[in-house]
Amino acid sequence: MRRDPIKEMLVKYPRILVIKAALKILKNGSKIDREKIEKTIVNIMSKKEG
């Protein structure tokens, strides 16, 4: 049984960031996986700081 990458990320990051990242990934037509979600979250967070 495969783990749900969204549920895994909810433990580490706020729900809104995980949802926003997942929607960005889906909008690009990609499949959601843990690595893509984490990378997208880091990108979202770095854009707000910079």
Side-chain angles (χ1 to χ4, degrees):
M1 191 160 117
R2 298 183 97 179
R3 290 183 167 191
D4 183 352
I6 293 175
K7 286 183 181 179
E8 287 180 23
M9 292 293 105
L10 287 173
V11 174
K12 191 172 181 180
Y13 296 104
R15 181 181 307 263
I16 191 69
L17 277 177
V18 175
I19 292 169
K20 188 172 183 176
L23 289 173
K24 277 187 157 203
I25 293 166
L26 290 173
K27 186 177 178 183
N28 291 332
S30 299
K31 286 190 174 186
I32 293 176
D33 64 30
R34 187 182 187 279
E35 190 175 309
K36 285 180 187 172
I37 291 176
E38 192 140 28
K39 190 174 183 179
T40 304
I41 288 172
V42 170
N43 287 338
I44 291 168
M45 290 172 52
S46 67
K47 286 180 183 179
K48 290 189 178 191
E49 292 176 351

CSV table of all heavy atoms in Angstrom, one decimal:
chain,number,residue,atom,x,y,z
A,1,MET,N,0.8,-1.2,0.0
A,1,MET,CA,0.0,0.0,0.0
A,1,MET,C,0.9,1.2,0.0
A,1,MET,O,1.8,1.4,0.8
A,1,MET,CB,-0.9,0.0,1.2
A,1,MET,CG,-2.0,1.0,1.2
A,1,MET,SD,-3.3,0.6,2.3
A,1,MET,CE,-3.2,1.9,3.4
A,2,ARG,N,0.6,2.2,-0.9
A,2,ARG,CA,1.4,3.4,-1.0
A,2,ARG,C,0.9,4.4,0.0
A,2,ARG,O,-0.3,4.5,0.3
A,2,ARG,CB,1.2,4.0,-2.4
A,2,ARG,CG,1.8,3.0,-3.4
A,2,ARG,CD,1.7,3.6,-4.8
A,2,ARG,NE,3.0,4.2,-5.0
A,2,ARG,CZ,3.4,4.8,-6.2
A,2,ARG,NH1,2.5,5.0,-7.1
A,2,ARG,NH2,4.6,5.3,-6.3
A,3,ARG,N,1.8,5.2,0.5
A,3,ARG,CA,1.5,6.3,1.4
A,3,ARG,C,1.0,7.5,0.6
A,3,ARG,O,1.4,7.7,-0.5
A,3,ARG,CB,2.7,6.7,2.2
A,3,ARG,CG,3.2,5.7,3.2
A,3,ARG,CD,4.4,6.3,3.9
A,3,ARG,NE,4.7,5.5,5.1
A,3,ARG,CZ,5.5,5.9,6.0
A,3,ARG,NH1,6.2,7.0,5.9
A,3,ARG,NH2,5.8,5.1,7.0
A,4,ASP,N,0.1,8.2,1.3
A,4,ASP,CA,-0.4,9.5,0.7
A,4,ASP,C,0.5,10.6,0.9
A,4,ASP,O,0.8,11.0,2.1
A,4,ASP,CB,-1.8,9.8,1.3
A,4,ASP,CG,-2.5,11.0,0.7
A,4,ASP,OD1,-1.9,11.7,-0.1
A,4,ASP,OD2,-3.6,11.2,1.0
A,5,PRO,N,1.2,11.2,-0.1
A,5,PRO,CA,2.1,12.2,0.1
A,5,PRO,C,1.6,13.5,0.7
A,5,PRO,O,2.3,14.2,1.4
A,5,PRO,CB,2.7,12.5,-1.3
A,5,PRO,CG,1.7,11.9,-2.3
A,5,PRO,CD,1.0,10.8,-1.5
A,6,ILE,N,0.3,13.7,0.4
A,6,ILE,CA,-0.3,14.9,1.0
A,6,ILE,C,-0.4,14.8,2.5
A,6,ILE,O,-0.1,15.7,3.3
A,6,ILE,CB,-1.7,15.2,0.4
A,6,ILE,CG1,-1.4,15.6,-1.1
A,6,ILE,CG2,-2.4,16.3,1.1
A,6,ILE,CD1,-2.7,15.9,-1.9
A,7,LYS,N,-0.9,13.6,3.0
A,7,LYS,CA,-1.0,13.4,4.4
A,7,LYS,C,0.4,13.4,5.1
A,7,LYS,O,0.5,13.9,6.2
A,7,LYS,CB,-1.6,12.0,4.7
A,7,LYS,CG,-3.1,12.0,4.4
A,7,LYS,CD,-3.7,10.7,4.7
A,7,LYS,CE,-5.2,10.7,4.4
A,7,LYS,NZ,-5.8,9.4,4.7
A,8,GLU,N,1.4,12.9,4.4
A,8,GLU,CA,2.8,13.0,5.0
A,8,GLU,C,3.2,14.4,5.2
A,8,GLU,O,3.8,14.8,6.2
A,8,GLU,CB,3.8,12.3,4.1
A,8,GLU,CG,3.6,10.8,4.1
A,8,GLU,CD,4.7,10.1,3.1
A,8,GLU,OE1,5.7,10.8,2.8
A,8,GLU,OE2,4.4,9.0,2.7
A,9,MET,N,2.9,15.3,4.2
A,9,MET,CA,3.4,16.7,4.3
A,9,MET,C,2.6,17.5,5.3
A,9,MET,O,3.1,18.5,5.8
A,9,MET,CB,3.3,17.3,2.9
A,9,MET,CG,4.2,16.8,1.9
A,9,MET,SD,6.0,17.2,2.3
A,9,MET,CE,6.5,15.6,2.8
A,10,LEU,N,1.3,17.1,5.6
A,10,LEU,CA,0.5,17.8,6.6
A,10,LEU,C,1.1,17.7,8.0
A,10,LEU,O,0.8,18.6,8.8
A,10,LEU,CB,-0.9,17.2,6.6
A,10,LEU,CG,-1.8,17.7,5.4
A,10,LEU,CD1,-3.1,16.9,5.4
A,10,LEU,CD2,-2.0,19.1,5.3
A,11,VAL,N,1.9,16.7,8.2
A,11,VAL,CA,2.6,16.5,9.5
A,11,VAL,C,3.7,17.6,9.7
A,11,VAL,O,3.9,18.1,10.7
A,11,VAL,CB,3.1,15.1,9.7
A,11,VAL,CG1,3.9,15.0,10.9
A,11,VAL,CG2,2.0,14.1,9.6
A,12,LYS,N,4.3,17.9,8.5
A,12,LYS,CA,5.5,18.8,8.6
A,12,LYS,C,5.2,20.3,8.3
A,12,LYS,O,5.8,21.1,8.8
A,12,LYS,CB,6.5,18.3,7.5
A,12,LYS,CG,7.8,18.9,7.6
A,12,LYS,CD,8.8,18.1,6.7
A,12,LYS,CE,10.1,18.7,6.7
A,12,LYS,NZ,11.1,18.1,5.8
A,13,TYR,N,4.1,20.5,7.5
A,13,TYR,CA,3.8,21.9,7.0
A,13,TYR,C,2.4,22.2,7.3
A,13,TYR,O,1.5,21.4,7.4
A,13,TYR,CB,4.1,22.0,5.5
A,13,TYR,CG,5.5,21.8,5.1
A,13,TYR,CD1,5.9,20.6,4.5
A,13,TYR,CD2,6.5,22.8,5.3
A,13,TYR,CE1,7.2,20.4,4.1
A,13,TYR,CE2,7.8,22.6,4.9
A,13,TYR,CZ,8.2,21.4,4.3
A,13,TYR,OH,9.5,21.2,4.0
A,14,PRO,N,2.1,23.5,7.4
A,14,PRO,CA,0.7,24.0,7.5
A,14,PRO,C,-0.2,23.5,6.3
A,14,PRO,O,0.3,23.4,5.2
A,14,PRO,CB,0.8,25.5,7.5
A,14,PRO,CG,2.2,25.8,7.9
A,14,PRO,CD,3.0,24.7,7.4
A,15,ARG,N,-1.4,23.2,6.6
A,15,ARG,CA,-2.4,22.7,5.6
A,15,ARG,C,-2.4,23.5,4.4
A,15,ARG,O,-2.5,23.1,3.3
A,15,ARG,CB,-3.7,22.5,6.3
A,15,ARG,CG,-4.8,21.9,5.4
A,15,ARG,CD,-6.1,21.8,6.1
A,15,ARG,NE,-6.1,21.1,7.3
A,15,ARG,CZ,-6.4,19.8,7.4
A,15,ARG,NH1,-6.8,19.1,6.4
A,15,ARG,NH2,-6.3,19.2,8.6
A,16,ILE,N,-2.5,24.8,4.6
A,16,ILE,CA,-2.7,25.8,3.4
A,16,ILE,C,-1.5,25.7,2.5
A,16,ILE,O,-1.7,25.7,1.3
A,16,ILE,CB,-2.9,27.2,3.9
A,16,ILE,CG1,-3.3,28.1,2.7
A,16,ILE,CG2,-1.7,27.8,4.6
A,16,ILE,CD1,-4.7,27.8,2.2
A,17,LEU,N,-0.3,25.5,3.0
A,17,LEU,CA,0.9,25.4,2.1
A,17,LEU,C,0.8,24.1,1.3
A,17,LEU,O,1.2,24.0,0.1
A,17,LEU,CB,2.2,25.4,2.9
A,17,LEU,CG,2.7,26.8,3.3
A,17,LEU,CD1,4.0,26.6,4.2
A,17,LEU,CD2,3.1,27.6,2.1
A,18,VAL,N,0.4,23.0,2.0
A,18,VAL,CA,0.4,21.7,1.3
A,18,VAL,C,-0.7,21.7,0.2
A,18,VAL,O,-0.4,21.3,-0.9
A,18,VAL,CB,0.1,20.6,2.3
A,18,VAL,CG1,-0.1,19.2,1.6
A,18,VAL,CG2,1.2,20.5,3.4
A,19,ILE,N,-1.8,22.3,0.5
A,19,ILE,CA,-2.9,22.4,-0.5
A,19,ILE,C,-2.5,23.3,-1.7
A,19,ILE,O,-2.7,22.9,-2.8
A,19,ILE,CB,-4.2,22.9,0.2
A,19,ILE,CG1,-4.7,21.9,1.1
A,19,ILE,CG2,-5.2,23.3,-0.9
A,19,ILE,CD1,-5.9,22.4,2.0
A,20,LYS,N,-1.9,24.4,-1.4
A,20,LYS,CA,-1.4,25.3,-2.4
A,20,LYS,C,-0.4,24.6,-3.3
A,20,LYS,O,-0.5,24.7,-4.6
A,20,LYS,CB,-0.8,26.6,-1.8
A,20,LYS,CG,-0.5,27.6,-2.8
A,20,LYS,CD,-0.1,28.9,-2.1
A,20,LYS,CE,0.1,30.0,-3.2
A,20,LYS,NZ,0.4,31.3,-2.5
A,21,ALA,N,0.6,23.9,-2.7
A,21,ALA,CA,1.6,23.2,-3.5
A,21,ALA,C,1.0,22.1,-4.3
A,21,ALA,O,1.3,22.0,-5.5
A,21,ALA,CB,2.6,22.6,-2.5
A,22,ALA,N,0.0,21.3,-3.8
A,22,ALA,CA,-0.6,20.3,-4.5
A,22,ALA,C,-1.4,20.8,-5.7
A,22,ALA,O,-1.3,20.2,-6.8
A,22,ALA,CB,-1.5,19.5,-3.6
A,23,LEU,N,-2.1,21.9,-5.5
A,23,LEU,CA,-2.8,22.5,-6.6
A,23,LEU,C,-1.9,23.0,-7.7
A,23,LEU,O,-2.2,22.9,-8.9
A,23,LEU,CB,-3.7,23.7,-6.1
A,23,LEU,CG,-4.9,23.2,-5.3
A,23,LEU,CD1,-5.6,24.4,-4.7
A,23,LEU,CD2,-5.9,22.4,-6.1
A,24,LYS,N,-0.8,23.6,-7.3
A,24,LYS,CA,0.2,24.0,-8.4
A,24,LYS,C,0.7,22.9,-9.2
A,24,LYS,O,0.9,23.0,-10.4
A,24,LYS,CB,1.4,24.8,-7.7
A,24,LYS,CG,1.1,26.2,-7.4
A,24,LYS,CD,2.4,26.8,-6.9
A,24,LYS,CE,2.3,28.3,-7.1
A,24,LYS,NZ,3.6,29.0,-7.2
A,25,ILE,N,1.0,21.8,-8.5
A,25,ILE,CA,1.5,20.6,-9.2
A,25,ILE,C,0.5,20.0,-10.1
A,25,ILE,O,0.8,19.7,-11.3
A,25,ILE,CB,2.0,19.5,-8.1
A,25,ILE,CG1,3.2,20.0,-7.4
A,25,ILE,CG2,2.3,18.2,-8.8
A,25,ILE,CD1,3.5,19.2,-6.1
A,26,LEU,N,-0.8,19.9,-9.7
A,26,LEU,CA,-1.8,19.4,-10.5
A,26,LEU,C,-2.1,20.3,-11.7
A,26,LEU,O,-2.4,19.9,-12.8
A,26,LEU,CB,-3.1,19.2,-9.7
A,26,LEU,CG,-3.1,18.1,-8.7
A,26,LEU,CD1,-4.3,18.1,-7.8
A,26,LEU,CD2,-3.0,16.7,-9.4
A,27,LYS,N,-2.0,21.6,-11.5
A,27,LYS,CA,-2.2,22.6,-12.5
A,27,LYS,C,-1.2,22.4,-13.7
A,27,LYS,O,-1.6,22.6,-14.8
A,27,LYS,CB,-2.1,24.0,-12.0
A,27,LYS,CG,-2.5,25.1,-13.0
A,27,LYS,CD,-2.4,26.5,-12.3
A,27,LYS,CE,-2.8,27.6,-13.3
A,27,LYS,NZ,-2.7,28.9,-12.7
A,28,ASN,N,0.0,22.0,-13.3
A,28,ASN,CA,1.0,21.8,-14.3
A,28,ASN,C,0.8,20.4,-15.0
A,28,ASN,O,1.6,20.1,-15.9
A,28,ASN,CB,2.4,21.8,-13.7
A,28,ASN,CG,2.7,23.2,-13.3
A,28,ASN,OD1,2.3,24.2,-13.9
A,28,ASN,ND2,3.6,23.4,-12.3
A,29,GLY,N,-0.1,19.6,-14.6
A,29,GLY,CA,-0.4,18.3,-15.2
A,29,GLY,C,0.5,17.2,-14.7
A,29,GLY,O,0.5,16.2,-15.3
A,30,SER,N,1.2,17.5,-13.6
A,30,SER,CA,2.0,16.4,-13.0
A,30,SER,C,1.3,15.6,-11.9
A,30,SER,O,0.3,16.0,-11.4
A,30,SER,CB,3.3,17.1,-12.4
A,30,SER,OG,4.0,17.8,-13.3
A,31,LYS,N,1.9,14.5,-11.7
A,31,LYS,CA,1.4,13.6,-10.6
A,31,LYS,C,2.0,14.2,-9.3
A,31,LYS,O,3.1,14.7,-9.2
A,31,LYS,CB,1.8,12.2,-10.7
A,31,LYS,CG,1.0,11.5,-11.8
A,31,LYS,CD,1.3,10.0,-11.8
A,31,LYS,CE,0.4,9.3,-12.7
A,31,LYS,NZ,0.6,7.8,-12.6
A,32,ILE,N,1.2,14.0,-8.2
A,32,ILE,CA,1.7,14.5,-6.9
A,32,ILE,C,2.5,13.4,-6.2
A,32,ILE,O,2.1,12.2,-6.1
A,32,ILE,CB,0.5,14.8,-6.0
A,32,ILE,CG1,-0.2,16.0,-6.5
A,32,ILE,CG2,0.9,15.1,-4.6
A,32,ILE,CD1,-1.5,16.4,-5.8
A,33,ASP,N,3.7,13.8,-5.8
A,33,ASP,CA,4.5,12.9,-4.9
A,33,ASP,C,5.2,13.7,-3.9
A,33,ASP,O,5.2,15.0,-3.9
A,33,ASP,CB,5.5,12.1,-5.7
A,33,ASP,CG,6.6,12.9,-6.4
A,33,ASP,OD1,7.0,14.0,-6.0
A,33,ASP,OD2,7.1,12.5,-7.5
A,34,ARG,N,5.7,13.1,-2.9
A,34,ARG,CA,6.3,13.8,-1.7
A,34,ARG,C,7.4,14.8,-2.1
A,34,ARG,O,7.4,15.9,-1.6
A,34,ARG,CB,6.9,12.7,-0.8
A,34,ARG,CG,7.3,13.3,0.5
A,34,ARG,CD,7.9,12.2,1.4
A,34,ARG,NE,8.2,12.6,2.7
A,34,ARG,CZ,9.4,13.3,3.0
A,34,ARG,NH1,10.2,13.6,2.1
A,34,ARG,NH2,9.6,13.7,4.3
A,35,GLU,N,8.3,14.4,-3.0
A,35,GLU,CA,9.4,15.2,-3.4
A,35,GLU,C,8.9,16.5,-4.1
A,35,GLU,O,9.4,17.6,-3.8
A,35,GLU,CB,10.3,14.4,-4.3
A,35,GLU,CG,11.6,15.1,-4.6
A,35,GLU,CD,12.5,14.2,-5.4
A,35,GLU,OE1,12.7,13.1,-5.1
A,35,GLU,OE2,13.0,14.7,-6.5
A,36,LYS,N,7.9,16.4,-5.0
A,36,LYS,CA,7.4,17.5,-5.7
A,36,LYS,C,6.7,18.5,-4.8
A,36,LYS,O,6.8,19.7,-4.9
A,36,LYS,CB,6.4,17.1,-6.8
A,36,LYS,CG,7.1,16.5,-8.0
A,36,LYS,CD,6.1,16.1,-9.1
A,36,LYS,CE,6.8,15.3,-10.2
A,36,LYS,NZ,5.9,14.7,-11.1
A,37,ILE,N,5.9,17.9,-3.8
A,37,ILE,CA,5.2,18.8,-2.9
A,37,ILE,C,6.2,19.6,-2.0
A,37,ILE,O,6.1,20.8,-1.9
A,37,ILE,CB,4.3,18.0,-1.9
A,37,ILE,CG1,3.1,17.4,-2.7
A,37,ILE,CG2,3.7,18.8,-0.8
A,37,ILE,CD1,2.2,16.5,-1.9
A,38,GLU,N,7.2,18.9,-1.5
A,38,GLU,CA,8.2,19.6,-0.7
A,38,GLU,C,8.9,20.6,-1.4
A,38,GLU,O,9.1,21.7,-0.9
A,38,GLU,CB,9.2,18.6,-0.1
A,38,GLU,CG,10.0,19.2,1.0
A,38,GLU,CD,10.2,18.2,2.2
A,38,GLU,OE1,10.2,17.0,2.0
A,38,GLU,OE2,10.4,18.7,3.3
A,39,LYS,N,9.3,20.3,-2.6
A,39,LYS,CA,10.1,21.3,-3.5
A,39,LYS,C,9.2,22.5,-3.8
A,39,LYS,O,9.6,23.7,-3.7
A,39,LYS,CB,10.5,20.6,-4.8
A,39,LYS,CG,11.4,21.4,-5.6
A,39,LYS,CD,11.9,20.6,-6.8
A,39,LYS,CE,12.9,21.4,-7.6
A,39,LYS,NZ,13.3,20.6,-8.8
A,40,THR,N,7.9,22.3,-4.1
A,40,THR,CA,7.0,23.4,-4.4
A,40,THR,C,6.7,24.2,-3.1
A,40,THR,O,6.7,25.5,-3.2
A,40,THR,CB,5.7,22.8,-4.9
A,40,THR,OG1,5.9,22.0,-6.1
A,40,THR,CG2,4.7,23.9,-5.3
A,41,ILE,N,6.6,23.6,-1.9
A,41,ILE,CA,6.4,24.3,-0.7
A,41,ILE,C,7.6,25.2,-0.4
A,41,ILE,O,7.5,26.4,-0.1
A,41,ILE,CB,6.2,23.4,0.5
A,41,ILE,CG1,4.8,22.8,0.4
A,41,ILE,CG2,6.3,24.1,1.8
A,41,ILE,CD1,4.5,21.6,1.4
A,42,VAL,N,8.8,24.7,-0.6
A,42,VAL,CA,10.0,25.5,-0.4
A,42,VAL,C,10.0,26.7,-1.4
A,42,VAL,O,10.4,27.8,-1.0
A,42,VAL,CB,11.3,24.6,-0.6
A,42,VAL,CG1,12.6,25.5,-0.6
A,42,VAL,CG2,11.4,23.6,0.5
A,43,ASN,N,9.7,26.5,-2.6
A,43,ASN,CA,9.6,27.6,-3.6
A,43,ASN,C,8.6,28.6,-3.1
A,43,ASN,O,8.8,29.8,-3.2
A,43,ASN,CB,9.2,27.1,-5.0
A,43,ASN,CG,10.4,26.3,-5.6
A,43,ASN,OD1,11.5,26.5,-5.3
A,43,ASN,ND2,10.1,25.5,-6.6
A,44,ILE,N,7.4,28.2,-2.7
A,44,ILE,CA,6.4,29.1,-2.2
A,44,ILE,C,6.9,30.0,-1.1
A,44,ILE,O,6.7,31.2,-1.0
A,44,ILE,CB,5.1,28.4,-1.8
A,44,ILE,CG1,4.4,27.8,-3.1
A,44,ILE,CG2,4.1,29.3,-1.1
A,44,ILE,CD1,3.3,26.8,-2.7
A,45,MET,N,7.5,29.3,-0.1
A,45,MET,CA,8.0,30.0,1.1
A,45,MET,C,9.1,30.9,0.8
A,45,MET,O,9.2,32.0,1.3
A,45,MET,CB,8.4,29.0,2.1
A,45,MET,CG,7.3,28.2,2.7
A,45,MET,SD,7.7,26.8,3.8
A,45,MET,CE,8.8,27.5,5.0
A,46,SER,N,10.0,30.6,-0.2
A,46,SER,CA,11.1,31.4,-0.5
A,46,SER,C,10.7,32.7,-1.3
A,46,SER,O,11.3,33.8,-1.1
A,46,SER,CB,12.2,30.7,-1.3
A,46,SER,OG,11.7,30.3,-2.5
A,47,LYS,N,9.6,32.6,-2.0
A,47,LYS,CA,9.1,33.7,-2.8
A,47,LYS,C,8.5,34.7,-1.8
A,47,LYS,O,8.6,35.9,-2.1
A,47,LYS,CB,8.0,33.3,-3.8
A,47,LYS,CG,8.6,32.6,-5.0
A,47,LYS,CD,7.5,32.1,-5.9
A,47,LYS,CE,8.1,31.4,-7.1
A,47,LYS,NZ,7.1,30.9,-8.0
A,48,LYS,N,7.9,34.3,-0.7
A,48,LYS,CA,7.3,35.2,0.2
A,48,LYS,C,8.4,35.9,1.0
A,48,LYS,O,8.2,37.1,1.5
A,48,LYS,CB,6.3,34.5,1.2
A,48,LYS,CG,5.1,34.0,0.4
A,48,LYS,CD,4.1,33.5,1.4
A,48,LYS,CE,2.8,33.1,0.5
A,48,LYS,NZ,1.7,32.9,1.3
A,49,GLU,N,9.5,35.3,1.3
A,49,GLU,CA,10.6,35.9,2.1
A,49,GLU,C,11.4,36.9,1.2
A,49,GLU,O,11.9,37.9,1.7
A,49,GLU,CB,11.5,34.8,2.6
A,49,GLU,CG,10.9,34.0,3.7
A,49,GLU,CD,11.8,32.9,4.1
A,49,GLU,OE1,12.9,32.7,3.5
A,49,GLU,OE2,11.4,32.2,5.1
A,50,GLY,N,11.6,36.6,-0.1
A,50,GLY,CA,12.4,37.4,-0.9
A,50,GLY,C,11.7,38.5,-1.5
A,50,GLY,O,11.6,39.6,-1.6
